Amino acid sequence: GENVEQHPSTLSVQEGDSAVIKCTYSDSASNYFPWYKQELGKRPQLIIDIRSNVGEKKDQRIAVTLNKTAKHFSLHITETQPEDSAVYFCAASRGGGNKLTFGTGTQLKVEL
Amino acid sequence: GAVVSQHPSRVICKSGTSVKIECRSLDFQATTMFWYRQFPKQSLMLMATSNEGSKATYEQGVEKDKFLINHASLTLSTLTVTSAHPEDSSFYICSARERGDTEAFFGQGTRLTVV
């Protein structure tokens, strides 16, 4: 089955700096890669996703890149703000209603 | 985005009792629902996938007789934790997908504490 690895497990940045979180996956048939933000005790919220037919997607301060050959994808957050502090999860799926396999999560802390 | 409602948000029960958690898609038809378990500071671990009108598919290591899943309609799936024990205490989250759509919408989660 699919295996998703995520690094780093914790990330501390200064407000205004950029943050990068990286994930690798094992199933070459995976074609859908979402990123979720989860605050303590809350549900995961989709912040951006990318499908395998594109290499990069951007939404304001958030961007995701995908390298299908290397089977890795990354989340980039620019101009970080304290409210970006949360746990971020990457995930991979074969799409079409198939299950998501989640990474282990990254605790992002944005310090003033 | 679509709305998935999960109830209850918190429940405390005694060892040996059963607890039912509901997951509803409020504004779309969810042909597939997923149930996850999340321990503190850990990732979401898929327990089972349920498709409307058919038996759930359980992940390896998940006891199907202990975690009963029913997906009787396109808008409702339930997870029943039978004969709960303290080690079953966890955060349980459902998610739902509409047919042909890959985005998963999550419920708000249920914090189960077994005493």
Side-chain angles (χ1 to χ4, degrees):
Chain A
E2 175 69 281
N3 181 49
V4 179
E5 295 188 356
Q6 183 172 346
H7 299 280
S9 57
T10 60
L11 179 59
S12 185
V13 299
Q14 294 293 314
E15 183 181 10
D17 287 350
S18 295
V20 180
I21 303 171
K22 298 182 178 182
C23 288
T24 60
Y25 62 99
S26 61
D27 185 356
S28 56
S30 289
N31 58 18
Y32 175 64
F33 308 93
W35 285 88
Y36 291 88
K37 175 183 180 182
Q38 186 181 30
E39 298 178 356
L40 189 62
K42 301 289 181 63
R43 78 183 83 194
Q45 298 275 9
L46 179 71
I47 57 171
I48 196 167
D49 57 12
I50 191 167
R51 300 176 198 271
S52 60
N53 57 343
V54 298
E56 185 174 357
K57 184 176 178 180
K58 189 174 181 180
D59 183 3
Q60 299 183 337
R61 297 186 298 109
I62 296 173
V64 58
T65 59
L66 171 66
N67 183 326
K68 281 206 73 179
T69 302
K71 294 207 276 291
H72 66 70
F73 56 113
S74 301
L75 177 71
H76 304 252
I77 305 174
T78 58
E79 301 172 33
T80 53
Q81 302 166 2
E83 50 266 37
D84 294 330
S85 297
V87 178
Y88 291 80
F89 291 100
C90 62
S93 166
R94 291 187 172 189
N98 282 297
K99 63 183 181 182
L100 286 169
T101 300
F102 283 84
T104 47
T106 297
Q107 174 74 61
L108 174 64
K109 184 177 181 181
V110 180
E111 298 176 329
L112 296 170
Chain B
V3 179
V4 175
S5 179
Q6 185 175 340
H7 292 281
S9 57
R10 293 176 181 270
V11 59
I12 300 173
C13 71
K14 292 184 178 180
S15 288
T17 61
S18 295
V19 175
K20 179 183 283 189
I21 302 169
E22 292 189 348
C23 181
R24 294 180 184 273
S25 56
L26 299 185
D27 52 2
F28 68 100
Q29 293 186 326
T31 53
T32 305
M33 287 188 173
F34 304 88
W35 287 95
Y36 296 87
R37 182 173 182 176
Q38 186 177 33
F39 290 108
K41 297 186 178 182
Q42 293 191 24
S43 187
L44 288 83
M45 301 303 297
L46 181 67
M47 299 174 67
T49 302
S50 74
N51 293 295
E52 184 263 339
S54 61
K55 290 184 178 180
T57 301
Y58 288 81
E59 295 298 302
Q60 191 173 7
V62 178
E63 298 177 60
K64 62 180 181 180
D65 294 331
K66 181 167 183 63
F67 299 100
L68 301 178
I69 291 171
N70 184 280
H71 191 165
S73 76
L74 285 170
T75 59
L76 174 64
S77 177
T78 60
L79 166 67
T80 301
V81 183
T82 63
S83 187
H85 292 284
E87 57 265 30
D88 298 324
S89 298
S90 188
F91 193 54
Y92 293 87
I93 312 178
C94 69
S95 75
R97 280 177 161 169
E98 195 168 12
R99 186 193 301 273
D101 189 357
T102 53
E103 181 173 353
F105 299 97
F106 284 85
Q108 60 267 53
T110 297
R111 173 72 59 193
L112 170 64
T113 303
V114 185
V115 298

PDB file of all heavy atoms in Angstrom, chain B residues 79-99:
ATOM      1  N   LEU B  79     -20.288   4.959  13.355  1.00  0.00           N
ATOM      2  CA  LEU B  79     -19.236   4.113  13.917  1.00  0.00           C
ATOM      3  C   LEU B  79     -19.641   3.795  15.347  1.00  0.00           C
ATOM      4  O   LEU B  79     -19.886   4.712  16.135  1.00  0.00           O
ATOM      5  CB  LEU B  79     -17.894   4.850  13.912  1.00  0.00           C
ATOM      6  CG  LEU B  79     -16.769   4.237  14.758  1.00  0.00           C
ATOM      7  CD1 LEU B  79     -16.327   2.899  14.179  1.00  0.00           C
ATOM      8  CD2 LEU B  79     -15.575   5.192  14.846  1.00  0.00           C
ATOM      9  N   THR B  80     -19.741   2.518  15.649  1.00  0.00           N
ATOM     10  CA  THR B  80     -20.065   2.102  17.011  1.00  0.00           C
ATOM     11  C   THR B  80     -18.851   1.406  17.603  1.00  0.00           C
ATOM     12  O   THR B  80     -18.377   0.407  17.053  1.00  0.00           O
ATOM     13  CB  THR B  80     -21.283   1.161  17.035  1.00  0.00           C
ATOM     14  OG1 THR B  80     -22.413   1.832  16.458  1.00  0.00           O
ATOM     15  CG2 THR B  80     -21.623   0.755  18.466  1.00  0.00           C
ATOM     16  N   VAL B  81     -18.380   1.948  18.702  1.00  0.00           N
ATOM     17  CA  VAL B  81     -17.287   1.323  19.442  1.00  0.00           C
ATOM     18  C   VAL B  81     -17.932   0.422  20.481  1.00  0.00           C
ATOM     19  O   VAL B  81     -18.593   0.891  21.416  1.00  0.00           O
ATOM     20  CB  VAL B  81     -16.387   2.368  20.115  1.00  0.00           C
ATOM     21  CG1 VAL B  81     -15.213   1.691  20.822  1.00  0.00           C
ATOM     22  CG2 VAL B  81     -15.880   3.382  19.095  1.00  0.00           C
ATOM     23  N   THR B  82     -17.794  -0.875  20.302  1.00  0.00           N
ATOM     24  CA  THR B  82     -18.458  -1.821  21.191  1.00  0.00           C
ATOM     25  C   THR B  82     -17.539  -2.222  22.336  1.00  0.00           C
ATOM     26  O   THR B  82     -16.316  -2.294  22.172  1.00  0.00           O
ATOM     27  CB  THR B  82     -18.898  -3.067  20.433  1.00  0.00           C
ATOM     28  OG1 THR B  82     -17.722  -3.718  19.919  1.00  0.00           O
ATOM     29  CG2 THR B  82     -19.808  -2.710  19.270  1.00  0.00           C
ATOM     30  N   SER B  83     -18.148  -2.456  23.487  1.00  0.00           N
ATOM     31  CA  SER B  83     -17.401  -2.876  24.674  1.00  0.00           C
ATOM     32  C   SER B  83     -16.132  -2.043  24.823  1.00  0.00           C
ATOM     33  O   SER B  83     -15.010  -2.560  24.806  1.00  0.00           O
ATOM     34  CB  SER B  83     -17.060  -4.365  24.570  1.00  0.00           C
ATOM     35  OG  SER B  83     -16.474  -4.835  25.772  1.00  0.00           O
ATOM     36  N   ALA B  84     -16.336  -0.757  24.960  1.00  0.00           N
ATOM     37  CA  ALA B  84     -15.203   0.173  24.978  1.00  0.00           C
ATOM     38  C   ALA B  84     -14.312  -0.043  26.194  1.00  0.00           C
ATOM     39  O   ALA B  84     -14.791  -0.381  27.291  1.00  0.00           O
ATOM     40  CB  ALA B  84     -15.725   1.603  24.957  1.00  0.00           C
ATOM     41  N   HIS B  85     -13.024   0.161  25.983  1.00  0.00           N
ATOM     42  CA  HIS B  85     -12.034   0.073  27.051  1.00  0.00           C
ATOM     43  C   HIS B  85     -11.194   1.348  27.036  1.00  0.00           C
ATOM     44  O   HIS B  85     -11.162   2.067  26.032  1.00  0.00           O
ATOM     45  CB  HIS B  85     -11.165  -1.165  26.863  1.00  0.00           C
ATOM     46  CG  HIS B  85     -11.907  -2.444  27.066  1.00  0.00           C
ATOM     47  ND1 HIS B  85     -12.239  -2.916  28.326  1.00  0.00           N
ATOM     48  CD2 HIS B  85     -12.411  -3.335  26.173  1.00  0.00           C
ATOM     49  CE1 HIS B  85     -12.900  -4.056  28.200  1.00  0.00           C
ATOM     50  NE2 HIS B  85     -13.024  -4.330  26.912  1.00  0.00           N
ATOM     51  N   PRO B  86     -10.502   1.629  28.116  1.00  0.00           N
ATOM     52  CA  PRO B  86      -9.709   2.868  28.167  1.00  0.00           C
ATOM     53  C   PRO B  86      -8.755   3.043  26.999  1.00  0.00           C
ATOM     54  O   PRO B  86      -8.531   4.167  26.552  1.00  0.00           O
ATOM     55  CB  PRO B  86      -8.961   2.726  29.497  1.00  0.00           C
ATOM     56  CG  PRO B  86      -9.891   1.941  30.368  1.00  0.00           C
ATOM     57  CD  PRO B  86     -10.528   0.938  29.426  1.00  0.00           C
ATOM     58  N   GLU B  87      -8.211   1.958  26.468  1.00  0.00           N
ATOM     59  CA  GLU B  87      -7.292   2.079  25.329  1.00  0.00           C
ATOM     60  C   GLU B  87      -7.990   2.512  24.051  1.00  0.00           C
ATOM     61  O   GLU B  87      -7.313   2.854  23.069  1.00  0.00           O
ATOM     62  CB  GLU B  87      -6.535   0.768  25.100  1.00  0.00           C
ATOM     63  CG  GLU B  87      -7.411  -0.439  24.869  1.00  0.00           C
ATOM     64  CD  GLU B  87      -7.672  -1.223  26.146  1.00  0.00           C
ATOM     65  OE1 GLU B  87      -7.701  -0.614  27.246  1.00  0.00           O
ATOM     66  OE2 GLU B  87      -7.855  -2.451  26.029  1.00  0.00           O
ATOM     67  N   ASP B  88      -9.313   2.502  24.050  1.00  0.00           N
ATOM     68  CA  ASP B  88     -10.075   2.995  22.897  1.00  0.00           C
ATOM     69  C   ASP B  88     -10.232   4.513  22.938  1.00  0.00           C
ATOM     70  O   ASP B  88     -10.730   5.113  21.975  1.00  0.00           O
ATOM     71  CB  ASP B  88     -11.460   2.341  22.836  1.00  0.00           C
ATOM     72  CG  ASP B  88     -11.385   0.837  22.653  1.00  0.00           C
ATOM     73  OD1 ASP B  88     -10.475   0.378  21.945  1.00  0.00           O
ATOM     74  OD2 ASP B  88     -12.228   0.127  23.246  1.00  0.00           O
ATOM     75  N   SER B  89      -9.835   5.104  24.044  1.00  0.00           N
ATOM     76  CA  SER B  89      -9.920   6.557  24.156  1.00  0.00           C
ATOM     77  C   SER B  89      -9.061   7.197  23.077  1.00  0.00           C
ATOM     78  O   SER B  89      -7.877   6.881  22.936  1.00  0.00           O
ATOM     79  CB  SER B  89      -9.441   7.016  25.537  1.00  0.00           C
ATOM     80  OG  SER B  89     -10.258   6.474  26.566  1.00  0.00           O
ATOM     81  N   SER B  90      -9.669   8.084  22.311  1.00  0.00           N
ATOM     82  CA  SER B  90      -8.969   8.678  21.172  1.00  0.00           C
ATOM     83  C   SER B  90      -9.857   9.741  20.546  1.00  0.00           C
ATOM     84  O   SER B  90     -10.975   9.986  20.998  1.00  0.00           O
ATOM     85  CB  SER B  90      -8.639   7.591  20.147  1.00  0.00           C
ATOM     86  OG  SER B  90      -7.802   8.085  19.124  1.00  0.00           O
ATOM     87  N   PHE B  91      -9.334  10.362  19.506  1.00  0.00           N
ATOM     88  CA  PHE B  91     -10.083  11.321  18.698  1.00  0.00           C
ATOM     89  C   PHE B  91     -10.474  10.590  17.424  1.00  0.00           C
ATOM     90  O   PHE B  91      -9.600  10.120  16.688  1.00  0.00           O
ATOM     91  CB  PHE B  91      -9.181  12.528  18.407  1.00  0.00           C
ATOM     92  CG  PHE B  91      -9.880  13.732  17.840  1.00  0.00           C
ATOM     93  CD1 PHE B  91     -10.973  14.286  18.484  1.00  0.00           C
ATOM     94  CD2 PHE B  91      -9.427  14.333  16.685  1.00  0.00           C
ATOM     95  CE1 PHE B  91     -11.608  15.413  17.981  1.00  0.00           C
ATOM     96  CE2 PHE B  91     -10.056  15.467  16.170  1.00  0.00           C
ATOM     97  CZ  PHE B  91     -11.142  15.996  16.814  1.00  0.00           C
ATOM     98  N   TYR B  92     -11.768  10.465  17.175  1.00  0.00           N
ATOM     99  CA  TYR B  92     -12.262   9.772  15.987  1.00  0.00           C
ATOM    100  C   TYR B  92     -12.812  10.807  15.010  1.00  0.00           C
ATOM    101  O   TYR B  92     -13.617  11.663  15.389  1.00  0.00           O
ATOM    102  CB  TYR B  92     -13.348   8.765  16.357  1.00  0.00           C
ATOM    103  CG  TYR B  92     -12.831   7.611  17.186  1.00  0.00           C
ATOM    104  CD1 TYR B  92     -12.748   7.699  18.571  1.00  0.00           C
ATOM    105  CD2 TYR B  92     -12.400   6.433  16.574  1.00  0.00           C
ATOM    106  CE1 TYR B  92     -12.253   6.654  19.327  1.00  0.00           C
ATOM    107  CE2 TYR B  92     -11.898   5.376  17.328  1.00  0.00           C
ATOM    108  CZ  TYR B  92     -11.826   5.500  18.711  1.00  0.00           C
ATOM    109  OH  TYR B  92     -11.324   4.462  19.460  1.00  0.00           O
ATOM    110  N   ILE B  93     -12.377  10.727  13.766  1.00  0.00           N
ATOM    111  CA  ILE B  93     -12.813  11.704  12.760  1.00  0.00           C
ATOM    112  C   ILE B  93     -13.321  10.967  11.520  1.00  0.00           C
ATOM    113  O   ILE B  93     -12.697  10.006  11.071  1.00  0.00           O
ATOM    114  CB  ILE B  93     -11.670  12.626  12.308  1.00  0.00           C
ATOM    115  CG1 ILE B  93     -10.899  13.195  13.486  1.00  0.00           C
ATOM    116  CG2 ILE B  93     -12.198  13.764  11.453  1.00  0.00           C
ATOM    117  CD1 ILE B  93      -9.734  14.071  13.075  1.00  0.00           C
ATOM    118  N   CYS B  94     -14.408  11.459  10.989  1.00  0.00           N
ATOM    119  CA  CYS B  94     -14.909  10.905   9.737  1.00  0.00           C
ATOM    120  C   CYS B  94     -14.616  11.888   8.609  1.00  0.00           C
ATOM    121  O   CYS B  94     -14.392  13.079   8.846  1.00  0.00           O
ATOM    122  CB  CYS B  94     -16.403  10.627   9.813  1.00  0.00           C
ATOM    123  SG  CYS B  94     -17.427  12.114   9.892  1.00  0.00           S
ATOM    124  N   SER B  95     -14.593  11.375   7.419  1.00  0.00           N
ATOM    125  CA  SER B  95     -14.539  12.247   6.255  1.00  0.00           C
ATOM    126  C   SER B  95     -15.415  11.648   5.168  1.00  0.00           C
ATOM    127  O   SER B  95     -15.705  10.449   5.181  1.00  0.00           O
ATOM    128  CB  SER B  95     -13.112  12.458   5.751  1.00  0.00           C
ATOM    129  OG  SER B  95     -12.643  11.310   5.078  1.00  0.00           O
ATOM    130  N   ALA B  96     -15.838  12.494   4.266  1.00  0.00           N
ATOM    131  CA  ALA B  96     -16.757  12.047   3.230  1.00  0.00           C
ATOM    132  C   ALA B  96     -16.353  12.612   1.884  1.00  0.00           C
ATOM    133  O   ALA B  96     -15.865  13.744   1.788  1.00  0.00           O
ATOM    134  CB  ALA B  96     -18.181  12.480   3.576  1.00  0.00           C
ATOM    135  N   ARG B  97     -16.567  11.811   0.871  1.00  0.00           N
ATOM    136  CA  ARG B  97     -16.290  12.238  -0.495  1.00  0.00           C
ATOM    137  C   ARG B  97     -17.517  12.001  -1.349  1.00  0.00           C
ATOM    138  O   ARG B  97     -18.227  11.010  -1.189  1.00  0.00           O
ATOM    139  CB  ARG B  97     -15.131  11.431  -1.077  1.00  0.00           C
ATOM    140  CG  ARG B  97     -13.777  11.902  -0.641  1.00  0.00           C
ATOM    141  CD  ARG B  97     -12.719  10.982  -1.213  1.00  0.00           C
ATOM    142  NE  ARG B  97     -11.412  11.597  -1.209  1.00  0.00           N
ATOM    143  CZ  ARG B  97     -10.288  10.957  -1.445  1.00  0.00           C
ATOM    144  NH1 ARG B  97     -10.311   9.677  -1.725  1.00  0.00           N
ATOM    145  NH2 ARG B  97      -9.140  11.576  -1.428  1.00  0.00           N
ATOM    146  N   GLU B  98     -17.720  12.917  -2.271  1.00  0.00           N
ATOM    147  CA  GLU B  98     -18.806  12.768  -3.223  1.00  0.00           C
ATOM    148  C   GLU B  98     -18.292  11.952  -4.400  1.00  0.00           C
ATOM    149  O   GLU B  98     -17.140  11.980  -4.730  1.00  0.00           O
ATOM    150  CB  GLU B  98     -19.269  14.150  -3.678  1.00  0.00           C
ATOM    151  CG  GLU B  98     -20.605  14.175  -4.378  1.00  0.00           C
ATOM    152  CD  GLU B  98     -21.115  15.601  -4.538  1.00  0.00           C
ATOM    153  OE1 GLU B  98     -20.330  16.545  -4.320  1.00  0.00           O
ATOM    154  OE2 GLU B  98     -22.282  15.770  -4.887  1.00  0.00           O
ATOM    155  N   ARG B  99     -19.170  11.282  -5.046  1.00  0.00           N
ATOM    156  CA  ARG B  99     -18.787  10.444  -6.195  1.00  0.00           C
ATOM    157  C   ARG B  99     -18.036  11.278  -7.215  1.00  0.00           C
ATOM    158  O   ARG B  99     -18.443  12.366  -7.585  1.00  0.00           O
ATOM    159  CB  ARG B  99     -20.035   9.855  -6.849  1.00  0.00           C
ATOM    160  CG  ARG B  99     -19.704   8.848  -7.969  1.00  0.00           C
ATOM    161  CD  ARG B  99     -20.967   8.542  -8.783  1.00  0.00           C
ATOM    162  NE  ARG B  99     -22.012   7.988  -7.948  1.00  0.00           N
ATOM    163  CZ  ARG B  99     -22.120   6.697  -7.682  1.00  0.00           C
ATOM    164  NH1 ARG B  99     -21.252   5.841  -8.159  1.00  0.00           N
ATOM    165  NH2 ARG B  99     -23.106   6.254  -6.923  1.00  0.00           N
TER     166      ARG B  99
END
